[in-house]
Amino acid sequence: MFTEIATDPGAPTVTIVFEGREIATRAGATVAAALLAAGELHFRDTPVGAERRGPYCLMGVCFDCLVEIDGEPNRQACMATVRDGMRVERQRGAAGIGP
Amino acid sequence: MKADAIVIGGGMVGAALAYGLRRQGLDTLMLDEGDVAFRAARGNFGLVWVQSKGFDCPEYAAWTRRSADLWPDFSDEIEELTGTGLQHQRPGGLHVCLSGAEFEDRTRQMRDLSERSGGAFRYEMLERRALDNLVPGLGPDVVGGSYSPLDGHANPLYLLRGLHAGFRALGGRVRLDARVTAIRRTGATYRLETGTGKLEAPKLVIAAGLGTKPLAAMLGMTAPIDPVRGQILVTERARPFLGMPLTWVRQTGEGSIMIGESREEVGFDDGTRWQVQARIADRARRIFPFLERARIVRTWGALRPYTPDGLPIYDRPPDGADAVVASCHSGVTLAAVHAGVLAPAIAEGRLPDDVGGLGTGRFHVH
Ligand SMILES: Cc1cc2nc3c(=O)[nH]c(=O)nc-3n(C[C@H](O)[C@H](O)[C@H](O)COP(=O)(O)OP(=O)(O)OC[C@H]3O[C@@H](n4cnc5c(N)ncnc54)[C@H](O)[C@@H]3O)c2cc1C
Ligand code: FES
């Protein structure tokens, strides 16, 4: 569905893990770009209706791309840059921020 | 265009009154400005709040209690009529104190409020230990607080939408982008000029929030209503943890945590300042330290229509004509009494006795 356009073909390869699946991408990519290029469209389940959502604006305003990154909930995948070994999970419903 | 009644303003007060007038069977026309307007109705905190209202004015305190009591039925009525649920809940509300001095002041204020209401205002002062049974996760700075079972909250945007939808469902007419620029009266008829044409009705309600002052002046009335800015912070959605609203912190039906509030006299400027937001966030963090981990996803400033004494204005013009000016800085709280009590009185050409002391006469210098 999405095709990667390598703006920097020389960038080193980086591997992240999404829901247990290893995904190879390039240094400098956002988490959202890496997941979309790997065919992953389902990033989160909404807190109230438990509906599936994925990135919409890709520029940090819609909050539809939320994922859990290395244990931290509600991170915007389009605003986070990949790092080798990064562990990304779907954001399932609201984060447990409470006491 | 002609109508039985024209309401100028489609914000929290205007929409509640228009809805209430239409419910009485009057052919009602509601006018609202365009998106240039300053709309407190779209930027407020959503409390239906009793325990801080009318310390020096028993009449206002009673009016507020009456509205909070009417809210459950009012909310059901709007939901049945429009399908829009207002997320109204009345689990009681809490005001926490962060020092012994705050707690003492609060204790005195609550006692006075209750005494002046003849006991109708119900509340409890709670020590820290008792608070922990009501809400989890309080920080070490919290010494105690006041709880009133009369308090609650609602979603203010659904309230505004529900009032507009309810008004239309009952056959009310709405004109948007209809900024009123002139009001004239000939005999028993008010004639209004707007950007989109001339309108007339024998009954007029001015409920235009921050637009009220110049409109009231056209009827020869002094309505000193000026902006007081409040700023609000909203966090990402969290799992429900907070069973009741606090004066400065509440969790919405969707799980977001709203954090307010502030008071600044900065004229018609609804912007934000980080210095104020930092203070708001700091107080919230002292109340609930875990909020430090919550991400703020939105912030805004909005302007309250405010009078010099902080009390509402309900008045009629000196010439005895059939008009009413209505304004308040707790339009969410008072929406139920506006729709259910004030509007029916206005339909009959009078004001309820309950608000007899809230006229503009109090601002005249003797
Ligand atoms: C930060 C903040 C927090 C708040 N929190 C709470 C709370 O927790 N609980 C609570 O009860 N209240 C709260 N309020 C107050 C509440 O929002 C207001 O009391 C209420 O919105 C006032 O209603 P209003 O109709 O008078 O004014 P508005 O809601 O501002 O509406 C006025 C309307 O009049 C229209 N208008 C103006 N001039 C003209 C004209 N010449 N012609 C035609 N139309 C015109 C405008 O378009 C506007 O839509 C808060 C307010 C703020 C700012
Ligand atoms: S895609 Fe909109 S915020 Fe990330």
Side-chain angles (χ1 to χ4, degrees):
Chain A
M1 191 168 183
F2 289 96
T3 321
E4 191 186 345
I5 307 167
T7 47
D8 181 7
T13 301
V14 163
T15 305
I16 66 171
V17 181
F18 178 65
E19 295 278 323
R21 172 190 171 197
E22 289 200 353
I23 290 173
T25 179
R26 273 177 222 282
T30 65
V31 172
L35 296 185
L36 289 174
E40 298 286 354
L41 302 178
H42 173 199
F43 282 44
R44 70 174 184 120
D45 297 322
T46 60
V48 179
E51 287 176 44
R52 295 177 165 211
R53 290 289 155 79
Y56 180 62
C57 72
L58 287 172
M59 56 182 217
V61 299
C62 74
F63 291 79
D64 254 335
C65 62
L66 299 179
V67 290
E68 189 177 301
I69 297 180
D70 291 331
E72 198 186 342
N74 278 352
R75 295 281 310 268
Q76 287 164 286
C78 72
M79 292 285 114
T81 308
V82 294
R83 203 181 20 74
D84 205 36
M86 182 183 257
R87 301 196 77 85
V88 183
E89 305 287 339
R90 290 201 173 99
Q91 178 64 45
R92 294 191 168 81
I97 300 165
Chain B
M1 190 188 275
K2 290 184 186 180
D4 294 341
I6 293 178
V7 177
I8 309 179
M12 229 40 129
V13 177
L17 291 177
Y19 171 77
L21 288 174
R22 180 62 206 141
R23 207 160 150 273
Q24 297 299 308
L26 272 69
D27 174 20
T28 306
L29 179 60
M30 175 165 78
L31 310 177
D32 205 22
E33 256 182 318
D35 282 337
V36 294
F38 290 102
R39 289 169 159 144
R42 299 196 180 181
N44 71 73
F45 199 68
L47 294 178
V48 177
W49 208 245
V50 176
Q51 69 165 291
S52 312
K53 305 289 169 57
F55 289 139
D56 300 313
C57 180
E59 190 175 6
Y60 177 42
W63 185 239
T64 301
R65 280 197 308 279
R66 190 163 178 197
S67 196
D69 289 344
L70 289 170
W71 246 99
D73 285 346
F74 164 71
S75 170
D76 288 348
E77 176 184 312
I78 296 284
E79 179 163 1
E80 267 163 44
L81 184 62
T82 68
T84 297
L86 308 189
Q87 299 181 340
H88 175 250
Q89 287 187 320
R90 201 186 195 189
L94 203 59
H95 176 92
V96 298
C97 303
L98 297 180
S99 69
E102 274 186 26
F103 191 77
E104 275 170 36
D105 282 351
R106 193 71 183 173
T107 306
R108 205 171 323 112
Q109 281 178 326
M110 293 292 106
R111 195 194 311 121
D112 289 354
L113 199 57
S114 179
E115 275 171 14
R116 284 178 203 167
S117 75
F121 171 64
R122 288 178 288 122
Y123 76 102
E124 278 176 80
M125 289 307 297
L126 300 175
E127 302 281 349
R128 173 56 201 258
R129 188 104 55 89
L131 280 191
D132 285 327
N133 295 328
L134 281 185
V135 285
L138 291 169
D141 292 353
V142 176
V143 300
S146 54
Y147 167 83
S148 172
L150 306 181
D151 293 324
H153 58 159
N155 180 318
L157 295 177
Y158 286 145
L159 169 60
L160 185 66
R161 186 207 275 184
L163 285 171
H164 276 250
F167 177 63
R168 279 193 305 266
L170 295 176
R173 293 183 284 154
V174 185
R175 272 221 189 167
L176 304 175
D177 290 317
R179 174 165 212 253
V180 175
T181 51
I183 304 174
R184 265 177 279 279
R185 185 168 66 85
T186 16
T189 305
Y190 280 107
R191 294 178 207 283
L192 276 52
E193 280 183 34
T194 72
T196 58
K198 292 190 184 1
L199 309 162
E200 57 180 77
K203 190 185 292 291
L204 178 66
V205 176
I206 299 179
L210 287 166
T212 299
K213 196 197 241 180
L215 293 169
M218 294 174 197
L219 305 190
M221 297 170 73
T222 310
I225 298 162
D226 293 298
V228 172
R229 184 167 74 187
Q231 297 187 40
I232 291 177
L233 281 53
V234 179
T235 72
E236 59 193 318
R237 289 174 179 186
R239 278 181 215 130
F241 70 92
L242 189 55
M244 68 177 62
L246 274 63
T247 321
W248 320 119
V249 183
R250 76 178 189 98
Q251 188 168 27
T252 69
E254 290 82 13
S256 307
I257 300 152
M258 293 184 77
I259 306 170
E261 60 152 42
S262 55
R263 271 154 210 279
E264 297 168 276
E265 293 186 24
V266 289
F268 284 88
D269 172 359
D270 62 359
T272 55
R273 279 176 64 222
W274 67 262
Q275 293 89 336
V276 174
Q277 300 198 339
R279 199 183 44 66
I280 293 171
D282 189 54
R283 191 173 168 97
R285 181 179 58 177
R286 288 175 68 198
I287 298 172
F288 292 120
F290 62 84
L291 282 180
E292 211 163 68
R293 297 199 304 272
R295 245 176 237 103
I296 304 288
V297 298
R298 279 190 298 284
T299 69
W300 66 79
L303 304 177
R304 301 178 186 82
Y306 221 82
T307 52
D309 57 10
L311 300 173
I313 290 178
Y314 304 108
D315 209 354
R316 299 168 59 79
D319 60 12
D322 194 6
V324 165
V325 170
S327 178
C328 69
H329 72 82
S330 283
V332 178
T333 306
L334 295 177
V337 79
H338 285 163
V341 178
L342 183 57
I346 292 174
E348 290 172 9
R350 57 181 189 89
L351 286 173
D353 295 337
D354 312 45
V355 297
L358 297 175
T360 55
R362 67 186 198 265
F363 302 115
H364 298 153
V365 187
H366 298 288

